[in-house]
Amino acid sequence: MELLITLFVFVLYFGGFYLMMRRHVFEVLLGTLLLTHATSMLLIAMGGWKPEERPPILVPSAELPLSAYADPVPQALILTAIVIGFGVTAYLVVLIMRGNEEMNDMEMTERPREEDEA
Amino acid sequence: MTNLILTPILLPMAGAVACLFLRGSLGAQRTVAGAIATAMVPLALYLLSLVWRDGIQVVRASMWPGGYGIVFALDLLGAVMLCLAAVTFAASWWFVAAGAMPRAQEKALVHPLFLLLGAGVNWAFTTGDLFNLFVSFEIILLSSYVLLAHENGRGQTREGLKFMLLNMIASIFFLASAGLAYGMFGALNMADLAVRIAQAGQPAAATVLGTMLFLTFGAKAAVFPLFFWMPDAYPKAPRGIVAYFSGILTKVGVYCLYRMFPLMFPAAETFAGWFQPLILAVGAGTMLVGVLCALSQMTMKRILSFHIISQIGYMIFALGIFTKLGLAAGIFFIIHQIIVKASMFLVADAVEVNEGSQELSKVGGLVAVYPGLAVIFLFASLSLAGIPPLSGFYGKYALVVEGLVRGHTFYVVVSLVTSILTLMSMMKIWRYAFWRDRIRPANAPVHGNRGVIVATGALVAVSIVVAVFSGPIMRLSTATAEQMIDREQYVFAVLGDRGLAALRAAEEASKP
Amino acid sequence: MLPFLLLLPFFGAALLMLLPRERLSPLIPAQATVMVTLGCLALLGVATFLPPSLELQEITGERFHHFHADWMPSIGLTFSLWLDGPALFFCWMVLGIGLLIFVYAGFYMDPADSPWRFFGTMMLFMGSMLGVVMSRNALLMFVFWELTSLTSFILIGHWHHKESARKGAMRALVVTGLGGLCLMAGIAGYFWILSTASAPGYVFDPSTALNWDSLWANRELLLNHPASVACLMLVLLGAFTKSAQFPFHFWLPGAMEAPTPVSAFLHAATMVKAGIYLLGRLYPIYWSWELWLILVGSAGVITMLVGGFMAMTSRDLKQLLAHSTVSQLGLLTAYYGFGFDRAGGDKPLPMDLLLVLSHAMFKGALFMIVGVIDHGAHTREWTRLGGLRKYMPVTTVLTIVACASMAGFPLTFGFVAKELFLKTALSLHASSPLLAYGLPAVAIIASLFTVAYSLRMAVSPFFGKPRDPSIHEHDIYSIEERGDAEDDAHDGSDGAASHAHAAGVHEGGPGLLIPPGILVLACLVAGFWSPFLGDLLSPLVNAPFYGTESGFTVAFFHHADKLLWTAVFLFGVGVLVFLAGKRIMESYERAGSPAIFRHAYEAIFDRAIPSLAAWTARTSQTPSLRRSIAVFFAAAFGIVVAAMGYSGFGLPGAIAIPAGLWMATLPIALTLPCLWVAATHRVLLVRVLAMAPIGFFVAMFFVFFRAPDLALTQILVEVVILIVLLMVLFRLPQRFEPRQLRFDPTAGAIALVGALVMAALTYSAMGSPWRHAPTLEGQPSVRDYYLGNAKYPAMTSEEAAAIGYPGASNMRSGGGTNVVNVTLVDFRGIDTFGEIIVLGISAIGVLCLLTVNRRRRSDNWRGGALDDVGHVSDIVNPETHRQLEMPYRAWPSPSLLLSEIGRLAPGFVLIFAAVLFFAGHNAPGGGFIAGLMVSVGLAMVLIAVSWTRSRHLERFDFVRLIGVGLLVALLTVVVPELFGLPFLTSGHWHFHLPLLGGGEFATAAIFDLGVFLLVVGATMLVVQKLGKE
């Protein structure tokens, strides 16, 4: 599993980084989505993986050892991260829309209006 | 009061919620926000005195012991930053409330957003947990994105986008590093992390983790190769609030660097070998590139934005020296910088509010019209250039001395070159905007606004106070540096004697 | 007493700044300044004639007044003043000449010419000059040193409407500022040497290390350190720039754009002497070094020569005086150079107080006189003046005497000084004859120029015919004067003349004549009674040697020795040079004056640095978003890779993959084509739709890692984001242009490196043994602690006491079996608190983006194409949406089925959400998931059901809902304070309901409710606002 998750992390990060460096702002947006996915994959991997683990939902009846459950910490972190990512993305999407409305330019390479350089 | 050190976080939040309900009337919003903005200053000062008197203050949220729950710990460094944040916040809030922006725009939820921004910043200065720090960073960044793009003018959205995307990348780095910190060392609490890094004795992992964090916070602090998000964006930020941006936001990154290295990565084999050269090189690059870019700009705020960068370089340099006096110089420099930089931006804003523009090609001869503003600018800019006896001089000189004593002669030379270039670019503004014959832009508002000038003067007065009491403030910075260097204090405060014992044992073991 | 003496001028300046200028007469500043100066003089007199009391002497063992206060002892900065010999002398000189010049200025300056700023700055300068000479601590002296530079900058630019004034001020500031930095570095170097030095019986005391006397006492350490040469050079750079020594002499003539009193006070009498003063302080330390002779001596004589020549070849009298000042400063510098004695000599030289004093006298007088001539004749060019003696007899006499003293004519004070200088010059013995004879020879040639330009000054304006008759048609002249004083940079006269009433060529009033008269008289008196003066000064001149008597006495010319004859001879030759002078000047002007160093300065500071700066800005600051991101990535990954390389970061050995896991490769395999489409397809919509599955594959991996909550959340979030994207999509260009589809190899390479780095980090971190090891000694790891304490209170009362909340143990509990949810609302509840705030902010941000400054848009699907969005066009208050309400545009018409589902959906959704919410604490679910569920449902309604039928949803004020959610969460966070517990501490109770039976309730659930409300509010606000479009 370690190798597989690493592979997945690699794929997602590659796609994310590449799209972030594209011209079109919307591709950059997709890139950020990918990077969020990749990072939550990285985080979930941090909990480690064992074949016999169960979800971290305690079973009071059966007295299981703590090692029988998966590590809840990364899961909590990821939940927070997902929510934050969701908020940021929602704002970013609208920001892009407005940016396009205002300068009708999806590449954002145009200089600001006033000439700044001496 | 059990949770006293959390009031700087929750007070503005409560204010923000109130403003959300009161968003019908600007007057009510102003009353709430103003009361809070003003009350924060004595509160922060009181907290500083508390920490100074009784040592590090700790609150264990939802009462889980340190290392498990989220712990808020306020030490001298954090308390000093809280005070600076409070002062800057108050000044720039009063600037806004003096009518710096159109009423309707100000009414459109500027106050709650600004309060949330302040809350997030105070949060970052107080928390003792790495992931929680990430959360507070997100609050800061999202509220600052929103404020930045708030006016929605042409360019705002564009620069807002750049600002936002580059900061999102930094956040992703941060999130990944926090995860890696847990994955590698099984801890998120910073004190716990320090202990475990010491216990693990894995210099390789520690080095890489530290580098990731350095990049994260370096990007937030706008250091040399990673500063692209800042200088185009800040001039676009709303008037008045930009002072808080310029004064505090980048310094949050610097604060994190100052918090992180002495606490987690002081070990010689990782620091002296890798981090020190890295930090020093980055610092030198930041100083020079920043000031050179500043020299070539033709609008006040862009000049100032690039100066933020070059001055950040000084702080990084001080961190790189990594001795008691070096860190003390760095902290003194931060204290001076935050106040002076914010007041410089307020000056530029005051010019813009009164003259309708802050481009050097469009304004001129202000010295005749606003003698008060001219004096204010002169004080602020000269102390920015580190001219004695103004506040900028002491940190710079201490840095030079300590740099020489520790044998970083090259970086000392760089810092001196930087400061003469700083003086030149400051005087450039002076020559164009103040000394030249009177020019008045076409779109200048009919009647000026003196209130903003008063708010600006108040902040500059603070910087003069810093200069007058430079002796005691240097003592404070030195005490702060001592507390940072002696990490056992922090570990003990957060983890108790068990943690302290573990740390000592680990350090004993690591000794050959 | 010393602090009062020092601070009095500063108080005066502050007073002038604060007084209400509108209501007071413009004469007040001048009077106030004179008053303050008199006060200082009184204090100084007391300090001089009341020696410190005996017991004070016994305590400190020092023979003079001094004052000490700690400032920053740790870096060697202390506020310690003293009045030793040189300090006393310079204080008297500054204040005395200052008094005369202020009186003069009171009559000279036009009352309309912002006298408040002028005199305030003058006083500021006087104060800082006093500080320079009074401070015992070298660093303190530097502080005041910089202040003098600043005040001179402001005073030079007093007439800042003149471009030349601005230029001159800038040049002066940059040059002296640069020197100041060097000086600071040098002083820092001293501190460094002394703090690291070690010698038998030497103890380093940072608070006194930089005092002049202790620097002198430890001179051995300073001299024998490898860095001592560097320090000397740095400090000398400071002195040379300040005193306009070659090659930095060019700023001083430029500084003559200042009003005449400023030139007389700062740039002749006092400020430029600061460098000389510094040399005087350094000399006792270095006088046995030949390097000292080479640096100081040669700089001095070259300056003498250059300055003298320039003076002789300048037309403007003020320029003439400026250059002569340069050359005289060279003389003062050379004096110390010649003081070198390799043999270690029996007795070092005294300070050159005589030379300084005499120069200050005649040069101050001459500048004031030039001002009088300017007032009287409306020009300062001697090539136009002439025959003035008829009009201004007094001025003529004064000038002649002052010039005689400048030329060192016998019977004047200047002669005494010159004699002293010659004696030193001729008694120089250095290792190489080149130095021993070359330097004095140059000095003597230079002194010929001195005679020449003194004569020029004394003769040309006053005798013979007027060379330019036009100056007698004063009215026309003064009018055009008034005209071109405004802009013409190279206009000889400084604007004061333009203010002067054009009364023709006339003698100056008594106010303008008496002050220079007094100085001129002093030159004569001092010349006659020089022995007495010598007795007066000799205790002072011996003082800088801190104890060792140099045994110097001023012996003067009553015995006619060879020096007298030398002087007379030189004078004779000088006359010849003067006669040749005009021709030399014209030929020099025909050759075109090179002014190499000013051009060099301009080349560096006005061209080279700006272009370098522009280049840096161009290269380091790209407007293109894409490039900045690429550079950002490249730098970051590069540094991380370097760190890995440095630290030998390795990967743990491969871990065997248990059988039956191959299904986990499925999502990866499916991700690749989706990625490909998402990255390459040329239709926007397709790319978005291709992105969606990836989110679901991520959710699958969550399942593999036993994270049901995450999987659920991930899917819901994917749906919501998809909805938002689809809503926005219609406002964006639908297709990519071909050039936007080109593959970018650089980006690919960078991305590859980055992805490899992250993958490697992930892999090695997974292999780390430390994650689940017990934390501190005997403490469970974080994971075990969470799992162990989620349901039942594990904290005993002593544990509670250990973390500082005694007796609170029974309050403590997670109270749930879903550990992730308990972590979210309890262990790490604060994170969740922050997270919902982020969500709220983003919703508010969307609101602002869509309402503030938004113009009604023309109906084109591509959006954009707006004419310039003005600054504040029409802002819309968020709570009244009507104004911005867009004309409703039909969505692609909703099919009947869809709308039916849409109408039924909410009910199901709400029920399911309720279940999820209450299940949350013990099973997968919780406030956040429930909130998302509700939002999805409502969003469906918004999309499916046409607007007309969901007005209530459209009207609903979700901002208020966000507020409520925040409020609830905030309350649950704050309430524990009332019980003296830390924030967010949750309690839980068992309860029995008649029908439902027993149950448990944890206050954390209330917090979860807040989360729920906020999530619904935020999400729906976004959907609602976008839906309006």
Side-chain angles (χ1 to χ4, degrees), chain C residues 20 29 103 173 202 323 363 548 603 644:
Chain C
V103 173
L173 183 67
Y202 166 72
H323 288 119
K363 194 51 66 73
T548 67
M644 286 174 160

Side-chain angles (χ1 to χ4, degrees), chain B residues 143-366:
Chain B
S143 46
S144 50
Y145 305 146
V146 175
L147 282 171
L148 181 64
H150 186 270
E151 194 181 341
N152 277 344
R154 191 182 191 85
Q156 249 100 4
T157 35
R158 177 187 178 283
E159 295 307 339
L161 203 55
K162 193 170 170 185
F163 178 91
M164 184 161 182
L165 285 169
L166 286 168
N167 273 298
M168 278 177 77
I169 297 170
S171 303
I172 295 220
F173 269 66
F174 195 174
L175 191 54
S177 343
L180 288 170
Y182 180 77
M184 289 170 168
F185 300 103
L188 287 167
N189 177 304
M190 291 198 247
D192 196 3
L193 204 51
V195 175
R196 293 193 140 231
I197 290 174
Q199 285 176 326
Q202 292 176 322
T207 309
V208 175
L209 179 61
T211 312
M212 291 282 290
L213 287 169
F214 175 76
L215 289 173
T216 307
F217 299 137
K220 305 285 184 192
V223 298
F224 161 44
L226 313 172
F227 64 75
F228 305 105
W229 55 271
M230 196 261 270
D232 291 334
Y234 276 14
K236 299 280 198 297
R239 294 166 186 168
I241 291 175
V242 68
Y244 192 72
F245 276 39
S246 61
I248 296 298
L249 289 195
T250 49
K251 310 304 181 302
V252 176
V254 177
Y255 159 84
C256 293
L257 291 172
Y258 273 54
R259 157 80 57 229
M260 178 182 68
F261 277 102
L263 180 61
M264 301 188 213
F265 307 101
E269 76 270 25
T270 50
F271 193 84
W274 166 253
F275 288 124
Q276 190 165 36
L278 174 66
I279 294 175
L280 286 175
V282 167
T286 313
M287 283 191 244
L288 270 183
V289 173
V291 77
L292 282 175
C293 292
L295 263 174
S296 70
Q297 305 303 318
M298 279 307 282
T299 75
M300 287 192 203
K301 287 192 197 172
R302 284 180 64 86
I303 294 180
L304 294 176
S305 312
F306 279 107
H307 273 298
I308 299 178
I309 296 171
S310 97
Q311 308 287 1
I312 293 283
Y314 277 95
M315 303 166 195
I316 306 290
F317 173 35
L319 178 64
I321 296 177
F322 210 67
T323 62
K324 190 181 92 183
L325 192 50
L327 288 174
I331 291 162
F332 190 104
F333 200 81
I334 292 176
I335 295 173
H336 140 77
Q337 257 306 306
I338 288 181
I339 291 171
V340 167
K341 183 64 67 184
S343 42
M344 288 295 287
F345 266 92
L346 286 188
V347 171
D349 279 337
V351 172
E352 195 175 13
V353 169
N354 284 298
E355 295 284 294
S357 166
Q358 44 95 28
E359 294 176 40
L360 294 186
S361 53
K362 293 188 185 163
V363 295
L366 300 175

Side-chain angles (χ1 to χ4, degrees), chain C residues 622-688:
Chain C
T622 159
S624 135
L625 178 69
R626 177 165 143 273
R627 272 190 56 206
S628 17
I629 293 182
V631 175
F632 189 103
F633 277 147
F637 299 148
I639 292 177
V640 177
V641 170
M644 286 174 160
Y646 166 79
S647 63
F649 183 84
L651 301 179
I655 304 156
I657 304 174
L661 263 181
W662 293 109
M663 55 147 182
T665 55
L666 181 67
I668 305 180
L670 290 178
T671 306
L672 292 171
C674 297
L675 263 184
W676 178 256
V677 177
T680 57
H681 200 281
R682 54 189 310 270
V683 179
L684 205 52
L685 182 61
V686 178
R687 288 196 176 198
V688 174

Side-chain angles (χ1 to χ4, degrees), chain C residues 53-305:
Chain C
S53 60
L54 281 173
E55 54 272 23
L56 187 62
Q57 293 189 23
E58 277 158 9
I59 297 165
T60 63
E62 279 152 353
R63 298 192 261 66
F64 35 75
H65 292 273
H66 58 91
F67 172 86
H68 175 92
D70 271 348
W71 190 350
M72 290 186 197
S74 56
I75 59 172
L77 178 56
T78 58
F79 194 84
S80 56
L81 309 169
W82 67 357
L83 267 186
D84 71 332
L88 199 59
F89 167 80
F90 272 96
C91 285
W92 276 109
M93 196 187 79
V94 169
L95 289 173
I97 295 184
L99 182 63
L100 297 176
I101 290 182
F102 290 147
V103 173
Y104 174 86
F107 291 91
Y108 179 89
M109 295 300 288
D110 179 352
D113 187 10
S114 55
W116 298 89
R117 177 168 35 119
F118 180 77
F119 283 99
T121 327
M122 281 294 241
M123 240 194 289
L124 216 53
F125 166 76
M126 191 173 69
S128 21
M129 196 63 211
L130 286 179
V132 168
V133 294
M134 279 171 68
S135 41
R136 178 183 197 168
N137 177 304
L139 192 51
L140 185 64
M141 183 207 72
F142 169 73
V143 169
F144 290 109
W145 179 283
E146 291 294 79
L147 266 181
T148 56
S149 302
L150 284 181
T151 38
S152 109
F153 167 73
I154 296 172
L155 285 170
I156 296 172
H158 183 69
W159 286 316
H160 47 75
H161 51 77
K162 289 202 290 179
E163 172 64 20
S164 59
R166 294 201 292 267
K167 263 190 152 35
M170 265 315 266
R171 206 182 296 141
L173 183 67
V174 170
V175 173
T176 49
L178 204 55
L181 272 177
C182 298
L183 176 59
M184 185 186 91
I187 295 174
Y190 285 153
F191 189 81
W192 161 44
I193 293 176
L194 290 177
S195 64
T196 50
S198 64
Y202 166 72
V203 283
F204 173 66
D205 172 8
S207 64
T208 59
L210 288 178
N211 288 2
W212 289 121
D213 43 355
S214 67
L215 282 179
W216 184 74
N218 301 320
R219 58 187 180 284
E220 291 310 320
L221 299 174
L222 293 183
L223 292 179
N224 300 331
H225 191 279
S228 53
V229 174
C231 287
L232 172 60
M233 291 198 167
L234 286 170
V235 178
L236 283 184
L237 276 175
F240 287 173
T241 47
K242 195 75 164 180
S243 295
Q245 291 302 297
F246 179 88
F248 306 108
H249 55 280
F250 54 86
W251 71 263
L252 190 50
M256 292 304 156
E257 292 297 333
T260 298
V262 175
S263 318
F265 192 31
L266 275 69
H267 307 122
T270 56
M271 185 185 91
V272 288
K273 298 285 196 328
I276 306 299
Y277 166 83
L278 180 57
L279 288 178
R281 289 292 189 191
L282 295 175
Y283 171 72
I285 301 173
Y286 289 103
W287 68 292
S288 59
W289 260 16
E290 187 140 27
L291 179 66
W292 172 267
L293 167 65
I294 297 169
L295 292 175
V296 179
S298 47
V301 292
I302 297 176
T303 317
M304 282 176 78
L305 200 61

Side-chain angles (χ1 to χ4, degrees), chain B residues 1-3 6 10 13-14 17 20-21 23-24 60-65 67-70 72 102 104-105 107-109 116 123 129 131-132 135 139 142-143 146 150-152 154 158 162 165-166 169 173 176 180 182-184 186 188 192 196 199-200 202 204 207-208 211 215 219 225-228 231-232 269 273-274 292-293 295-296 306 367 378 382 387-389 393-394 396-398 400-401 404-405 416 419-420 424 427 430-431 435-437 470-471 474 498 501-502, chain C residues 71-72 75 77 139 142-143 146-147 150 153-154 157 160-161 163 166 169-170 173 178 181 184-185 188 191-192 605 609 613-614 616-617 620-623 625 628 631-633 635-637 639-640 642-643 646-647 649 758 761 765 768 770-771 773-775 777 779-780 782-783 785-786 789 795 803 805 808 812 826-828 830-831 833-835 837-838 841-842 844-845 847-849 852-853 871-872 875 877 879 957 959-960 963-964 966 970 977 980-985:
Chain B
M1 185 171 176
T2 324
N3 302 293
L6 295 186
L10 292 168
M13 278 182 182
V17 174
L20 279 188
F21 287 114
R23 71 189 202 283
R60 300 182 162 78
S62 51
M63 214 169 71
W64 297 102
Y68 300 117
I70 288 172
F72 288 88
Q105 187 199 344
K107 193 174 175 184
L109 296 176
L116 285 173
W123 186 324
D129 183 285
F131 188 80
N132 196 248
V135 174
I139 296 178
L142 197 51
S143 46
V146 175
H150 186 270
E151 194 181 341
N152 277 344
R154 191 182 191 85
R158 177 187 178 283
K162 193 170 170 185
L165 285 169
L166 286 168
I169 297 170
F173 269 66
L180 288 170
Y182 180 77
M184 289 170 168
L188 287 167
D192 196 3
R196 293 193 140 231
Q199 285 176 326
Q202 292 176 322
T207 309
V208 175
T211 312
L215 289 173
L226 313 172
F227 64 75
F228 305 105
D232 291 334
E269 76 270 25
W274 166 253
L292 282 175
C293 292
L295 263 174
S296 70
F306 279 107
V367 72
L378 213 52
L382 291 175
I387 301 289
F393 165 67
Y394 311 99
K396 188 178 79 180
Y397 177 75
V400 168
V401 168
L404 284 177
V405 172
L416 290 178
S419 69
I420 188 70
M424 280 176 68
M427 289 304 111
W430 176 254
R431 273 178 70 192
W435 259 4
R436 224 175 12 164
D437 294 344
S470 48
M474 184 52 100
R498 273 218 195 79
Chain C
W71 190 350
M72 290 186 197
I75 59 172
L77 178 56
L139 192 51
F142 169 73
V143 169
E146 291 294 79
L147 266 181
L150 284 181
F153 167 73
I154 296 172
H160 47 75
H161 51 77
E163 172 64 20
R166 294 201 292 267
M170 265 315 266
L173 183 67
L178 204 55
L181 272 177
M184 185 186 91
F191 189 81
W192 161 44
F605 287 97
I609 290 181
T616 323
S620 73
Q621 198 51 17
T622 159
L625 178 69
S628 17
V631 175
F632 189 103
F633 277 147
F637 299 148
I639 292 177
V640 177
Y646 166 79
S647 63
F649 183 84
M758 300 312 269
L761 288 175
S768 157
W770 285 91
R771 185 184 320 121
T775 352
E777 286 140 355
Q779 296 284 85
V782 179
R783 155 236 175 102
Y785 190 88
Y786 283 9
N789 294 346
M795 184 188 289
I803 63 168
Y805 307 107
R812 163 75 270 134
D826 196 336
F827 291 109
R828 303 192 64 92
I830 294 285
D831 286 347
F833 184 51
E835 142 204 332
I837 290 172
V838 172
I841 296 174
S842 93
I844 296 174
L847 177 70
C848 294
L849 275 179
V852 180
N853 276 357
H871 247 330
V872 190
I875 301 199
N877 302 347
E879 73 273 22
D957 179 4
V959 178
R960 187 142 295 159
V964 174
L966 272 179
L970 199 58
E977 170 64 37
L981 292 174
F983 282 155
L984 203 61
T985 307

